[in-house]
Amino acid sequence: MDPADFRRNAHALVDWIATYLEQVERYPVLSRVAPGDVHSALPPQAPERGEAFAAVAADFERVLLPALTHWNHPGFMAYFASSASPAGILGEMLSAALNQQAMLWKTSPASTELEEVTLGWLRELIGLPAAFDGVIYDTASISTLHGLAAAREQAVPGASAHGLVRVERPLRAYASEHAHSSVDKALAALGLGLDALRKIPADADFRMRPDALASAIDEDVAGGARPVAVVATIGTTSTTSVDPVAAIAPICEQRGIWLHVDAAYAGVAAIVPELRPRFEGWERADSIVVNPHKWLFTPMDISVLYCRRMPTLRAAFSLVPEFLRTAEGDRGVRNLMDTGIQLGRRFRSLKLWMVLRDFGAEGLRDVMREHVRLARLFASWVDADANFERVAPVPFSVVCFRARGSDGASPADVDALNERLMERVNASGDVFLSHTRLDGRFVIRLAIGHYRTSEKHVARAWELLRQGVA
Ligand SMILES: Cc1ncc(COP(=O)(O)O)c(C=O)c1O
C-alpha cells in the first residue's frame, strides 16, 4: 500500500467509521451468526499475492460485520459496558500509526511521560492522594496480578528471586465471595494457588463482612498460615456492591497485610462528588485498580493500577539485562518495563489523554450522573411492577432483578422463566442484557455504561421485559 493508497483507504475507512457510529442502531446488538460461520467463510490459507484494500474491506463487511457483537451500540447493557468514544477512537488510531514501544524512557519519552501526566490527572479527578503512583496495563486482571505480585513480595521478600520453595508457612489471601475471578487467576499465576484464597461471606447486600474477614485471618494465623493480601471490591461484578473498605483497611493495617481494592468498573465514578462516599477508605489501600475501558468511554484496552508502594512493585519485576541498560535509567528516569512482566508497551495513555480533554471533567461527570439516574429510574419501574422484583441495591448504574413467576412456581421454573425472558429480550437486537446468580437464583442484570445510552434505550429494555411476561 503506497502513501497515496493509504491516504485514500484511510479516508474511506474514517468515513465508514463515522457512519457506523451514527447508525450503529441499525445492527442487532448481539450477533446472530452461528459458531463456525466466520471460519467457514474465509479461506484456509493466507493469500500468496497482496490484495487490494477494497477487497479486504468488502470481506470485512460481508463476513466480519454480521459477526460483531456491537459493544458500541447504546443498547448494550450486558456485563459492564465498554464504549469507544470518538476521541478515544482517534487516540487509538494515532497510537497505531505512531507505533511507540515504551519499554524504556528512551524508546518513547512521550509515551512514558504522558502516562505519568495523564494518570496524575485521573488520580486527582478520582480524589486519591499523591502518594499513589499509577501504571497502565491492558486489563484489570493484569493490574490485579501485578498488585498481588507486589503483595507477595511484601509478605515474602525475595519471592521474585527465590520463588516460594523456602516458604514454610502456607500463604493466604482473602476476598469476598463476590470478588471477580481475576483474583483467583492471579493467585494461580503467582504460585499461591487457588486454594490459598479464602472467600469471605457477604452480608444481605452482597458486601464483604469485616467481622468474618478478621476472624478468618486470625484463625489462619493461629493455624500457622501467613496472610499475604486482602482484596476488597468497590463495584462487584454481579451487583456492584461496595465492600466496606473503611472497616477493612484497619484490619489489614493492624496485621500488616497488603490491601488491594478492585474498583475496575466503579473506580472512575469517584469523579462524581455525590458518589464519592462509596469510596470511603480506599485511600488507605496499598493498590487500587480502575479501568478507563469500562466506564470512562475509552476503547479497549486500558486499565490503571494505582500503587502506594511502587518500590515493592519494582522489586517484584525490575530486571535489567545489559542490552536494555541506558544512561537515563541510571539517572533515575522511569522505565516502564520495570513495573511489569511485559517488556513492550503500547501508547495507551494517548487515547485516555484525548478522552479526558474531549469530555472534560464536567462532561464525564454529566454522563456518569445520567447513567446513575437511568439505573435508579429503571429500578423504580421494577419496584412498581408486581410481576418483577429487584434483588440488590443500586449503588451505581447496574440493576439486578427478576420476574417473579406465577404463584406456586418452583425455584427451578422461575429460573427457567427468567432465562427465557432474557433470551427473548436479547433476540430483539435492540438491547443486550446479561445475567448472574445470587443466592442460587438466576438474576437478570441491566448495566448502563455506554456514553450514548439514553432513557429511550432503557425504556425499550423495560418494554421488552414487560411484553415478555405478559
Ligand atoms: C470487579 C471486576 N474486576 C475485574 C474485572 C476484570 O476486568 P478485565 O476484563 O479488565 O480484566 C471485571 C470485569 O468485568 C470486574 O467486574
Side-chain angles (χ1 to χ4, degrees), residues 80 139-142 180 182 233 235-237 262 264-265 291 293-294:
F80 287 129
T139 57
S141 303
I142 299 302
H180 190 264
S182 53
T233 310
T236 57
T237 311
D262 179 353
Y265 150 72
N291 267 14
H293 77 215
K294 283 192 173 19

Side-chain angles (χ1 to χ4, degrees), residues 105-117:
W105 178 87
K106 183 182 188 164
T107 60
S108 185
S111 183
T112 306
E113 295 191 18
L114 187 68
E115 179 160 328
E116 287 177 16
V117 170

Side-chain angles (χ1 to χ4, degrees), residues 79-80 138-144 178-183 233-238 262-266 289 291 293-294 300-303 445:
Y79 314 115
F80 287 129
D138 54 1
T139 57
S141 303
I142 299 302
S143 293
T144 289
H178 293 282
H180 190 264
S181 51
S182 53
V183 177
T233 310
I234 300 183
T236 57
T237 311
S238 285
D262 179 353
Y265 150 72
V289 53
N291 267 14
H293 77 215
K294 283 192 173 19
M300 285 287 290
D301 49 18
I302 177 167
S303 173
R445 288 168 79 259

Side-chain angles (χ1 to χ4, degrees), residues 45-283:
Q45 269 127 23
E48 187 59 31
R49 286 166 179 269
E51 298 178 72
F53 188 71
V56 183
D59 278 353
F60 163 73
E61 292 223 26
R62 182 179 61 85
V63 181
L64 299 182
L65 187 56
L68 295 176
T69 290
H70 293 278
W71 286 73
N72 240 5
H73 190 303
F76 189 107
M77 296 183 239
Y79 314 115
F80 287 129
S82 172
S83 38
S85 61
I89 295 171
L90 294 177
E92 193 67 287
M93 280 166 56
L94 189 55
S95 135
L98 301 172
N99 199 28
Q100 295 293 283
Q101 206 285 48
M103 56 187 180
L104 300 165
W105 178 87
K106 183 182 188 164
T107 60
S108 185
S111 183
T112 306
E113 295 191 18
L114 187 68
E115 179 160 328
E116 287 177 16
V117 170
T118 310
L119 297 192
W121 289 4
L122 181 62
R123 180 182 52 68
E124 285 217 349
L125 287 174
I126 61 178
L128 285 175
F132 281 93
D133 211 345
V135 55
I136 293 178
Y137 302 105
D138 54 1
T139 57
S141 303
I142 299 302
S143 293
T144 289
L145 173 72
H146 285 83
L148 293 182
R152 187 187 68 168
E153 196 62 26
Q154 177 179 271
V156 184
S160 65
H162 313 300
L164 299 174
V165 282
R166 299 182 190 172
V167 180
E168 279 158 18
R169 297 159 67 192
L171 302 176
R172 289 274 178 274
Y174 307 83
S176 111
E177 54 182 317
H178 293 282
H180 190 264
S181 51
S182 53
V183 177
D184 307 58
K185 282 198 185 181
L187 295 173
L190 290 168
L192 276 77
L194 297 177
D195 293 345
L197 183 60
R198 274 194 75 164
K199 300 256 168 107
I200 305 301
D203 66 14
D205 285 340
F206 312 103
R207 302 171 299 196
M208 192 200 295
R209 279 178 37 211
D211 60 321
L213 172 68
S215 318
I217 295 173
D218 293 344
E219 186 185 295
D220 282 348
V221 171
R226 173 83 176 89
V228 171
V230 171
V231 180
T233 310
I234 300 183
T236 57
T237 311
S238 285
T239 68
T240 76
S241 61
V242 177
D243 289 338
V245 180
I248 292 169
I251 295 173
C252 297
E253 286 159 2
Q254 284 152 15
R255 294 162 178 80
I257 304 173
W258 186 283
L259 174 59
H260 176 72
V261 170
D262 179 353
Y265 150 72
V268 294
I271 294 177
V272 182
E274 60 271 28
L275 297 178
R276 194 60 79 68
R278 292 164 181 53
F279 297 86
E280 195 193 343
W282 75 331
E283 70 287 348

Side-chain angles (χ1 to χ4, degrees), residues 104-106 320 324-335 338:
L104 300 165
W105 178 87
K106 183 182 188 164
V320 187
L324 293 173
R325 225 165 260 292
T326 61
E328 296 85 13
D330 295 337
R331 291 204 297 269
V333 302
R334 173 179 262 202
N335 287 324
D338 292 338

